[in-house]
Amino acid sequence: MNYRYNRRNFLLAASAVAIATGCQSRSTQSDRQGFVALEWVYAENLLALGIAPKGLADIRGYQQYVNIPTALNSNTTDVGTRQEPSLEAIASLNPQMIFGTQLRHETIYQDLSKIASTKLYNPYPEPGQLDQFQEMEQTFLSIAELTNQRSQGEQVLAQLRDRLSQASKGLSRVSDRPILLGQFLGNTPQLRLFTDNSMAMRILNQMSLRNAWQGQPDRYGFNTVWLEALPAVQKAHFLYIAPENDAEFKKLQNNPIWQGLEFVRENRLTSLGSDTWLFGGPLSAQVIVERVIAALTKKP
């Protein structure tokens, strides 16, 4: 097999991008210090473009669930929750632009616009329109354009596409077994199974992997199910994300139905890590690619 998972090369490449963008951003630092992100993905997008967000909603949650090579600046100010950001905290930063989502922030759009120019995006297009991966690319380039970093944005996306192409060639030789991608929610026996329109599953599709779950496409890209949904797809390789030390997940592993599943008995299930963010931008997408490669090429 010619393909080899090489995390070191990925990190070096990502570091190179970060260094390059960092150099570019320093040249006009005063112009790029005033961006506030009310959703984690837009903070990640700014970081991928070499820009440290001045404000971000729910920094603690971001640091818990989003793990990308470019770290958040320690000077970034927390501006409240993603659902109910603090207008006072945002205004105190005197930002030049605010990025948010239609889903959470449309009702406060007028208030946000009085503080600074505000751009709201929709990361969850209706099924039949854009898939979430296409939307991620469009939004990333839009933010790159608005922050005068279009060239850098195109470079980041080109790097991601190259990596997906490499992964596709390599994984097509490993296995043609379908993939089940699940996310355990914590403190509940339910889990999310991702549908074909989700960003994460579109990434896996581009890696020559097929989705074992054929649930009805949902606006958010997943179906929330109970354990009883899994026997129908037990021949898959199960890739999952679960919170660290979650009591419900531990309880599940003692359930006879779970223990009888083929992918459990044959050890065809792999954790991608609790900090694998499935709703992010191109840097989170690259993390997904690397962790899926590691999961599917690990030695028994």
Side-chain angles (χ1 to χ4, degrees):
M1 183 172 68
N2 296 325
Y3 178 82
R4 292 181 67 242
Y5 164 61
N6 193 326
R7 179 175 174 78
R8 181 173 182 273
N9 285 347
F10 165 66
L11 293 175
L12 287 173
S15 298
V17 170
I19 291 169
T21 56
C23 292
Q24 291 180 31
S25 65
R26 279 195 294 274
S27 64
T28 54
Q29 195 172 29
S30 61
D31 293 334
R32 297 174 185 154
Q33 290 288 304
F35 299 103
V36 169
L38 303 183
E39 189 65 54
W40 298 339
V41 61
Y42 307 135
E44 180 193 322
N45 286 348
L46 290 169
L47 290 169
L49 296 168
I51 302 169
K54 193 168 189 178
L56 170 61
D58 191 1
I59 290 178
R60 183 177 179 182
Y62 176 91
Q63 291 174 329
Q64 180 177 358
Y65 293 107
V66 183
N67 185 0
I68 58 174
T70 306
L72 191 66
N73 192 314
S74 60
N75 294 327
T76 300
T77 298
D78 195 306
V79 295
T81 67
R82 292 183 293 164
Q83 190 65 39
E84 295 182 357
S86 166
L87 297 176
E88 291 78 10
I90 297 170
S92 71
L93 298 175
N94 192 26
Q96 65 189 77
M97 182 165 284
I98 302 167
F99 297 110
T101 68
Q102 294 175 13
L103 177 68
R104 299 185 197 272
H105 310 120
E106 199 156 32
T107 58
I108 58 172
Y109 175 78
Q110 295 300 330
D111 294 325
L112 292 170
S113 296
K114 292 175 183 174
I115 299 172
S117 177
T118 299
K119 182 71 174 176
L120 302 185
Y121 296 101
N122 177 18
Y124 305 112
E126 295 291 340
Q129 301 178 354
L130 296 177
D131 62 49
Q132 292 179 15
F133 186 88
Q134 293 169 325
E135 193 284 331
M136 179 275 286
E137 288 188 310
Q138 285 192 6
T139 294
F140 180 66
L141 287 179
S142 170
I143 291 177
E145 191 79 43
L146 290 169
T147 56
N148 297 318
Q149 292 283 58
R150 175 81 188 196
S151 175
Q152 178 59 35
E154 291 175 345
Q155 181 181 337
V156 171
L157 289 182
Q159 180 183 353
L160 173 60
R161 291 171 189 141
D162 286 347
R163 195 70 181 105
L164 285 166
S165 177
Q166 293 170 14
S168 174
K169 294 173 184 174
L171 292 180
S172 64
R173 303 165 193 157
V174 175
S175 172
D176 60 358
R177 188 179 293 279
I179 297 296
L180 190 63
L181 180 62
Q183 181 182 33
F184 294 92
L185 303 177
N187 301 317
T188 171
Q190 291 180 297
L191 74 154
R192 295 168 174 172
L193 293 181
F194 285 82
T195 52
D196 284 335
N197 63 315
S198 66
M199 189 189 82
M201 191 50 69
R202 288 291 298 118
I203 291 170
L204 269 58
N205 290 158
Q206 292 177 74
M207 297 169 71
S208 297
L209 300 173
R210 293 180 293 114
N211 191 1
W213 179 251
Q214 296 300 309
Q216 185 69 27
D218 175 84
R219 178 183 178 187
Y220 299 106
F222 56 80
N223 301 140
T224 302
V225 303
W226 300 85
L227 173 62
E228 287 74 11
L230 296 181
V233 285
Q234 62 182 318
K235 293 188 179 301
H237 190 122
F238 187 32
L239 303 176
Y240 69 91
I241 295 161
E244 296 285 348
N245 301 314
D246 180 57
E248 285 293 337
F249 185 65
K250 290 181 178 177
K251 188 187 302 180
L252 173 72
Q253 294 173 50
N254 294 321
N255 187 302
I257 296 177
W258 174 265
Q259 293 176 341
L261 292 169
E262 191 173 307
F263 56 66
V264 175
R265 289 188 283 106
E266 298 182 3
N267 195 27
R268 278 198 321 274
L269 73 170
T270 311
S271 168
L272 296 180
S274 62
D275 57 354
T276 303
W277 188 235
L278 303 179
F279 306 94
L283 297 188
S284 281
Q286 289 199 43
V287 171
I288 293 170
V289 172
E290 302 307 322
R291 293 187 177 183
V292 169
I293 291 171
L296 297 182
T297 57
K298 70 178 181 180
K299 295 180 180 179

